[in-house]
Structure formats: structure tokens, C-alpha cells
Amino acid sequence: MPSVLWLEAICIFLFAGAPPSLPLQEVHVSKETIEKISAASKMMWCSAAVDVLFLIDGSHSVGKGSFERAKHFAITVCDALDINPKRVRVGALQFSSAPRLEFPLDSLSTQQEVKAKLKRMVFKGGRTETGLVLKYLLHMGFPGGRNASVPQVLIIVTDGRSQGHVALPAKQLQERGVTVFAVGVRFPRWEELHTLASEPREQHVLMAEQVEDATNGLFSTLSSSAICTIASPDCKVQPHPCEHKTLETVRELAGNALCWRGSRGTDGVLAALCPFSSWKRVFLTHPTTCYRTTCPGPCDSQPCQNGGTCVPEGLDRYRCLCTPAFRGEANCAPALSLECRIDVLFLLDSSAGTTLEGFLRSKAFVKRFVQASLNQDSRVRVGVAWYSRELVVAVPVGEYQDVPHLVRSLDAVPFSGGATLTGSALQQAAERGFGRAIRTGQDRPRRVVVLLTESRSQDEVAGPAHHARLRELLLLGVGSEALRAELEEITGSPKHVMVYATPQDLFNQVPELQRKLCSRPRPGCQTQSLDLVFMLDASASVGPENFAQMQSFVRSCTLQFDVNPDVTQIGLVVYGSQVQTAFGLDTHVTRAAVLRAMTQAPYLGGEGSAGTAFLHIYDKVMTVQRGARPGVPKAVVVLTGGRGAEDAAVPAQKLRNNGVSVLVVGVGPVLRDALRRLAGPRDSLIHVAAYADLRYHQDELIEWLCGEAKRLVNLCKPSPCMNEGTCVLRNGNYHCECRGGWEGPHCETRPWRYPH
């Protein structure tokens, strides 16, 4: 053989054994986006009724090494499949010279079984008869499948070097509704992969060597085609420029050499020079578009403050490179240590409704909180529990060595999926979330449950939440805006709910949570003047027992005020079958007297009218004649079960127009629309789940009253002038212009006239 031919053979042999050391599919995006694609591939989860069949090329052209990589790809895909007989079924065929069924779709019912079976597959060897196995499927159907009653997905893992025709059987399978993915291994022939794959081709052709990228691409396409939903709404499928690479043998002119024409015999002719060619393998690139899912990363919320740089480390971890002034501080910000003494149990929703990404977001929030709030001198003890169907206490309250140990324990908390039984979790948290040791009085710290959820509960929550509050647990809720009503029902107060729209909004709630955890009842407005009237619903719709709880609540609120004619005056009006002034603003001049009178307030029964009660206060209680003081802020607090409030919006606004603030406290399943109209344009409304929960809203009511006591007042509202006198403001003061012969600062006297 001529030396030239020997050289060609050696070159071909050497390049044929070259390993695929370079990526044969490359997405042209930033490093950060590549990390997000990789992270999203680990978060994907398909839980739909679908049949998935793997066709794995076991021919000699693939080789044993690439066959093992194809198996690894299939196993990675199965990590994201909810494999059970009613949801995702998986089967596998190995093909080379002939197809071999590894296991049918109806033979294995768990993810662990399928992955173990794939791992035990043995390389077969032989020719690459891709067309033959496709015809086998056309004739036999998906082995063990559900006969097209559910979507069918065929994943062909091959080098695309079939020794037969594949276009027609591939097209016939697609016409039967089968979704075909063509996944390349080794140095694939991309043209054949495009022939095998469903439309649009660029979304159904992948490369198994880049496992995370290929898994992401596969599930991105399944999500886009609505075969299964695999990511949270925050995740997006987006097109990215990419290229496929092919290792091809090319022939190049290398020069000229002496050559013979004819045979090398006596009659051979020596030619002058003949062209000399060399063979080599080169990578040829084919531009295309790749569709991949990316999800918000740990640095998207910009957690590093004061000029720090965020460096992502995995799915939900990051580290901050801080400037020298903030080096050593969590998130490059000084820790806001909690100084109150509390036990906090974070209750994380790990159900399918919250999704894996939402669960990771909740864990990141808790980590952010503990890193920013706890130190070695902190008197706060933290615990972590998660739930779906059952409650699991992952970190008992206070049982950790230090903050890093707590964070590591939190990282290990798993996502479970399953039903969202929030009510059951609250019941169990109240009973065993804080351990079995019972401490009372000053020896027991305040106990708080912080619920983080992104899914509506599938069981009843009002009863378990009420049970938890009766055990003196403070419930705080953190969730999306869509869950606000349910969280208010659970916590018993809008003030105990924190909602967010984006991950950044969630992380911004850390300081607010710190404030709520350490807030304590305020001492009232001891130095602020205030004329305050409580208006209690004493109708039959409330009942005597609930009315007694109202009385107890207003007595407790009264303890927060300095009752005397110079500071706070308090009156009480009850309404039911009639409207009655239990006592007026100037009736009792000490707190003790007010408390006794509140206890003696009558329960009336009958049908109540809040509108009539407001008009009664306007005409006969909040007036100068009945003790109201000019220039002093005035407020009415109405406690009602909601019935009889339909006619009250206009009279309540009449009071407001006269300089009197009105706060509505609605209890139980009240008529929300009627009460919101009653609450006025400033939405002064507190909704309480049950009468027994009124005590949990005392802080909120006192805070509102103290705010009203500091408001600027109009000295002429309500009018201090009696007997139809007119109040006139002048130079920061007022005077009354009297009529009909009345005199005095408030037109309160008529001079005695001797009869003629």
C-alpha cells in the first residue's frame, strides 16, 4: 500500500477514537444564566398522567462509555418524575441490531425501582437499527402503556448514525400523537436527530452529555406543551442562542508527490506530480436556538447590602463579598439582634401546592432572619417544622449549638410534596411544637408560630388556629397576597399577616417580622387627652355570653388609660332592642368607677340597629352638653357581630364629618362589605375571628386610639356652642356667636329679665 494511504488510515483511526472532550451543544448565555439553568433542572418535578418510554441506543457505534452516559441521563430525568401507576409511568427499550425490552411501562411503580432497573441495563452491541425499533413501536405500541389515553413521550437516546431509514416511521409515530425527543450521545449526527424529533425541532433535540442542560430542555418543552407543569410561576421558559457541534472527517489538499500511472511493471509510466490530500477531524458548528427554564436565583433579591457583591452557591445559597467596613457581617449589614425573650417556631409549608421553589424561598427567608437576628447573647430560641400531610419538627425549639449549626439543619429540611393540611399542622404545632415541658408565669417566654405558605389549605383552619391561640400562642402568617384572607383567619388579625408579591418583597419582611415578634402591649395614651365612647352590640345576634366577652375586652382596654376629667373621659353606649347610654363621658371621673359601670352595662337582646346607635351618640353623647370637651380628640369604637350594620354607613360618616373618629371591630363571620363601608375611607376596621380572640387585638386597638389622640382637631367640631349658637374659628381659637338671647362662652345661659 502506498505510504499516502497508510497515512490516511492512521489519521482516521486516531480521530475515530477521540473522546468528546468538548461540549457538543453550547448555550451562549452568561455564566450566571448557565448556573440558573443548572439550578432549575434540579427543581423540576412532573406529576401528570403521562407514559414515558426511553429508547436507548446500545449499538457498537455508541460504545459502552456513551451507553453508560445515556443511562445516567435517563436516571436524571426520572429524578424529576412522579412515578406511580396513576401518574407517570416509565418503560425502557434498548436497541441495536434488534430491539430488546428492558422493562414495560406497567411493570415498575416507584421512582427507586425504575432508576435501579435503568442502572442494571447491560450494553448489548450490534448495528444501529433505529428504523427497526421505531417500526416495532408502530406495530406493538408502547409496551405496558395506556393506549394513548394519556400523553405519550418517546425519548430516543442515540448517536444518530442509523443504518436504515428513520424519517417515515418517526413521522408516523408523531402523527399518532407521540411526542418524540431525540437526545444525542458521543458525536451525534444532528441531521438524523432533527429527522427523528417532533416539531418544533429545536425544542425536541438535546445532548445527553450535558445532563443538567438536557434535562432542563426536555422539561421546558413538556411544560410549554402543557403535558405537565414542572416549575413555579416565577420560573420562565426562554429562548437562548446556542450551537450544535459535529466532529466531521474532512479532506484537505496538502501538496503534490510523485505518483505512478498504470501498474508498477515494466510498462508502468512515471507521472510527474500528483495532488496529495490529508484527512483530519474538525468540529463544524450549526447555529440554532435552545429553550431553557430559569428560576429566580439566590442573588436576584440583592441580599448583600452596603455595596456588597452576591456570589451564588447552589440552589438557594449565596455568600456576600463585603466592603471592609462591613466585613464579617451577615449580608454586609449589622445584625439587628432581638432583645426580647421569645420562643419562635417557623412552620414551613412543604406541600405540592407551595412547589419546591416556594419551599426553598421560605427556607432562605428563615436563614436570612436567623443570620440577621440571632447572636450568642440573644434570648430568642428558634425551631423549625415542616408539613404537608403531617407535621415534622426538624429542629426543636432551642436545640442547636449556634447559628451556623441551625442553618445547616435548615438546609437539610426536605421538600415532600403532597396535600396542604395547614389546619392539622397548626393543631399539632400547638400540642407538640414547643416540647412537652410546661412552664407558666414569668418563667415561660412568649411563644410564637410563624407560618410560611404559598398554598391554600385543603383542610379547615379556623378551629385549629383558635385552639392554638387559646394555648397563648401568637400566630403570625407570611404568604402571597392571594392568601391574605386565609392568613387573617388563622392569625386572627390583619396586623399579624405579612404578604409579598416578589422574592425581594419577602426578604424585605425580615425587619417587620422582628418588630412583630418583640412588640408588647403599650401602656396606652397616659398623657393624651381623649373623649372615648365604646358602642357595644347587645342584640340577640350576639348573645349574652359573647356580650360578656365584649365587656371584658373594653374593661381591659380601659386599664390602658388615665381616666380623669383632664386626660381621658370614657362613655359607653349599648344597642339592641333599644339604644341606651350606659354612662356618659362625664358620668365617672375615675378609672375604677368606669370599670364598675362597664360590668353593670345591660344586655338588651332584640334586633339591633348600629345606624340608630350612631345617631344617638351624635345627638346625645358626643356633645358639649353631655361632657364632650372642646379641642379634645374624640373617638367611637363600635364592637359588633355585623348584623344590623347595613344602615350605619351614613350615620357613621356624619360623626366623622363632625370631627369624631370611628373604629369598627367586627367579630366572627361578619358582613365584610357592610363593615368596610361602615369603616369609612380610612378603612378603620379590625376583623376578629371569634369573640374569645378579642384580647389578641387589644394592642391594635390601643395603637389606633393613641394615633387618633395625636391628630389635630378642629375646635368647632363637634360644635362647642349650645342652643343653636355658631362656632367661629379665629386666630387659633374659637368663640360662639349666640342666638335667641343666649349668652356665655358656649351660649349656655340666658340672662334673667325682670318682668315689666
Side-chain angles (χ1 to χ4, degrees):
M1 179 182 294
S3 57
V4 172
L5 298 181
W6 275 107
L7 181 59
E8 291 178 8
I10 293 172
C11 290
I12 293 173
F13 174 77
L14 289 175
F15 282 112
S21 56
L22 294 175
L24 300 181
Q25 178 175 272
E26 189 172 357
V27 184
H28 294 297
V29 292
S30 66
K31 181 181 179 182
E32 180 183 359
T33 302
I34 290 176
E35 291 173 349
K36 287 186 177 183
I37 291 172
S38 175
S41 71
K42 298 182 177 70
M43 297 168 60
M44 291 177 164
W45 180 250
C46 180
S47 181
V50 58
D51 286 350
V52 178
L53 181 63
F54 288 98
L55 289 189
I56 300 181
D57 189 341
S59 66
H60 286 310
S61 65
V62 167
K64 189 173 182 181
S66 293
F67 179 76
E68 293 299 320
R69 286 189 284 274
K71 287 165 50 180
H72 176 61
F73 165 73
I75 291 170
T76 303
V77 170
C78 289
D79 283 332
L81 299 177
D82 183 12
I83 298 175
N84 68 69
K86 294 183 179 180
R87 308 299 290 175
V88 182
R89 293 186 185 181
V90 176
L93 273 163
Q94 183 183 173
F95 70 94
S96 53
S97 300
R100 181 171 73 190
L101 179 63
E102 298 289 347
F103 55 93
L105 287 137
D106 58 356
S107 63
L108 305 175
S109 58
T110 68
Q111 189 184 85
Q112 291 76 15
E113 291 174 338
V114 170
K115 289 167 65 176
K117 193 73 172 179
L118 286 169
K119 192 173 183 179
R120 290 196 297 268
M121 284 177 60
V122 178
F123 178 66
K124 184 181 177 184
R127 301 186 309 277
T128 311
E129 295 288 353
T130 311
L132 183 63
V133 72
L134 296 180
K135 293 175 183 176
Y136 170 85
L137 291 178
L138 286 169
H139 178 67
M140 303 295 295
F142 273 35
R146 286 170 275 191
N147 298 322
S149 61
V150 300
Q152 294 178 310
V153 177
L154 181 64
I155 302 175
I156 308 172
V157 190
T158 178
D159 61 357
R161 300 181 182 276
S162 177
Q163 293 170 299
H165 298 291
V166 299
L168 181 60
K171 180 180 179 182
Q172 291 172 333
L173 277 171
Q174 294 165 28
E175 289 172 347
R176 293 188 182 184
V178 178
T179 299
V180 181
F181 287 90
V183 184
V185 290
R186 198 169 171 78
F187 299 109
R189 185 180 293 153
W190 294 103
E191 294 84 355
E192 182 169 308
L193 296 185
H194 279 263
T195 301
L196 291 169
S198 295
E199 294 281 357
R201 311 285 192 200
E202 64 270 13
Q203 295 186 37
H204 292 81
V205 174
L206 305 163
M207 185 66 198
E209 309 287 349
Q210 285 90 44
V211 176
E212 292 175 350
D213 177 79
T215 303
N216 185 303
L218 187 144
F219 285 110
S220 296
T221 301
L222 291 179
S223 176
S224 300
S225 60
I227 292 178
C228 56
T229 303
I230 48 80
S232 77
D234 290 337
C235 301
K236 297 179 181 179
V237 179
Q238 295 178 312
H240 301 285
C242 65
E243 61 183 23
H244 293 156
K245 297 180 181 179
T246 306
L247 187 62
E248 298 286 351
T249 304
V250 297
R251 184 174 183 174
E252 290 185 345
L253 179 64
N256 297 297
L258 292 173
C259 59
W260 293 89
R261 298 236 176 163
S263 62
R264 293 188 63 182
T266 55
D267 56 351
V269 178
L270 178 62
L273 293 174
C274 296
F276 167 69
S277 298
S278 65
W279 296 84
K280 65 178 181 179
R281 291 286 185 97
V282 296
F283 281 106
L284 302 180
T285 60
H286 308 277
T288 185
T289 302
C290 294
Y291 290 78
R292 300 295 182 262
T293 297
T294 56
C295 299
C299 289
D300 286 3
S301 61
Q302 299 178 346
C304 304
Q305 304 174 36
N306 298 304
T309 301
C310 182
V311 180
E313 294 182 338
L315 285 176
D316 60 343
R317 299 189 187 125
Y318 66 91
R319 60 187 174 92
C320 291
L321 301 178
C322 304
T323 58
F326 295 94
R327 194 164 293 156
E329 302 285 359
N331 298 329
C332 309
L336 303 173
S337 177
L338 293 176
E339 297 181 357
C340 54
R341 183 168 178 252
I342 54 172
D343 285 353
V344 183
L345 179 68
F346 285 97
L347 185 57
L348 309 184
D349 182 354
S350 183
S351 67
T354 285
T355 73
L356 173 60
E357 188 201 356
F359 181 68
L360 294 175
R361 187 160 47 237
S362 295
K363 290 207 300 181
F365 173 80
V366 177
K367 286 195 290 185
R368 181 84 56 88
F369 172 83
V370 299
Q371 289 169 339
S373 307
L374 305 186
N375 56 42
Q376 59 184 3
D377 299 322
S378 176
R379 298 195 299 165
V380 178
R381 303 193 310 163
V382 171
V384 180
W386 58 272
Y387 73 93
S388 54
R389 292 186 177 276
E390 296 290 335
L391 178 78
V392 177
V393 179
V395 182
V397 174
E399 296 189 17
Y400 48 88
Q401 299 171 0
D402 50 26
V403 172
H405 179 244
L406 175 59
V407 170
R408 288 193 298 272
S409 300
L410 185 60
D411 285 336
V413 175
F415 175 70
S416 65
T420 311
L421 303 185
T422 306
S424 174
L426 290 169
Q427 183 86 16
Q428 295 177 66
E431 294 172 355
R432 58 186 179 89
F434 292 86
R436 299 185 180 277
I438 300 178
R439 295 184 289 175
T440 59
Q442 294 184 349
D443 186 47
R444 186 175 71 184
R446 191 184 195 190
R447 298 181 302 165
V448 185
V449 174
V450 180
L451 170 66
L452 291 104
T453 178
E454 294 188 3
S455 176
R456 297 186 189 277
S457 179
Q458 295 173 269
D459 63 350
E460 189 261 340
V461 297
H466 179 64
H467 170 73
R469 294 196 296 271
L470 287 179
R471 295 176 71 101
E472 298 185 354
L473 296 181
L474 171 63
L475 302 182
L476 300 178
V478 183
S480 64
E481 179 65 41
L483 298 178
R484 182 189 289 274
E486 182 171 288
L487 292 176
E488 288 181 4
E489 184 177 25
I490 289 172
T491 64
S493 169
K495 296 289 186 181
H496 294 162
V497 173
M498 289 163 280
V499 297
Y500 59 90
T502 65
Q504 181 61 54
D505 290 340
L506 171 61
F507 297 131
N508 288 342
Q509 298 291 339
V510 169
E512 178 66 10
L513 177 59
Q514 292 171 324
R515 188 188 68 79
K516 291 182 183 296
L517 288 173
C518 287
S519 65
R520 282 294 187 181
R522 300 183 180 185
C525 313
Q526 299 287 349
T527 61
Q528 296 288 331
S529 296
L530 180 67
D531 285 348
L532 170 62
V533 175
F534 287 106
M535 176 177 138
L536 305 187
D537 185 348
S539 66
S541 64
V542 171
E545 292 183 359
N546 291 333
F547 180 74
Q549 295 203 61
M550 284 185 179
Q551 288 177 292
S552 176
F553 175 67
V554 296
R555 279 169 51 85
S556 178
C557 292
T558 301
L559 291 171
Q560 306 299 319
F561 294 95
D562 181 7
V563 180
N564 69 66
D566 296 321
V567 185
T568 302
Q569 293 187 149
I570 296 179
L572 177 63
V573 171
V574 294
Y575 69 96
S577 57
Q578 60 180 330
V579 179
Q580 182 174 331
T581 301
F583 55 89
L585 287 167
D586 58 354
T587 304
H588 302 293
V589 296
T590 67
R591 186 164 57 192
V594 169
L595 293 173
R596 283 194 299 270
M598 284 179 167
T599 303
Q600 297 165 5
Y603 169 71
L604 302 174
E607 185 175 348
S609 168
T612 303
F614 279 127
L615 292 175
H616 175 86
I617 292 173
Y618 182 92
D619 292 328
K620 299 181 179 180
V621 180
M622 201 67 80
T623 66
V624 172
Q625 296 94 320
R626 302 299 173 93
R629 296 166 293 176
V632 173
K634 294 167 177 60
V636 173
V637 175
V638 55
L639 284 82
T640 177
R643 296 184 183 179
E646 296 86 350
D647 64 344
V650 173
Q653 191 58 42
K654 186 176 181 180
L655 272 172
R656 292 191 184 94
N657 293 341
N658 205 32
V660 180
S661 301
V662 178
L663 174 67
V664 181
V665 181
V667 186
V670 295
L671 302 173
R672 286 181 177 265
D673 291 340
L675 288 190
R676 290 205 179 276
R677 288 195 297 272
L678 181 57
R682 292 172 55 208
D683 201 22
S684 301
L685 174 64
I686 298 175
H687 179 248
V688 183
Y691 288 93
D693 292 335
L694 279 167
R695 55 180 172 164
Y696 301 115
H697 298 265
Q698 177 176 309
D699 295 357
E700 187 177 357
L701 187 148
I702 298 299
E703 182 180 354
W704 183 86
L705 286 173
C706 290
E708 297 304 302
K710 297 174 183 177
R711 293 183 66 200
L712 295 175
V713 297
N714 185 329
L715 296 176
C716 287
K717 289 187 177 182
S719 176
C721 306
M722 305 180 189
N723 302 306
E724 299 183 351
T726 301
C727 180
V728 179
L729 290 172
R730 182 177 296 167
N731 299 326
N733 210 327
Y734 73 92
H735 77 275
C736 292
E737 295 181 350
C738 304
R739 299 179 182 179
W742 292 94
E743 297 179 353
H746 300 108
C747 307
E748 75 277 13
T749 61
R750 175 175 286 179
W752 176 259
R753 298 184 186 275
Y754 292 97
H756 294 289

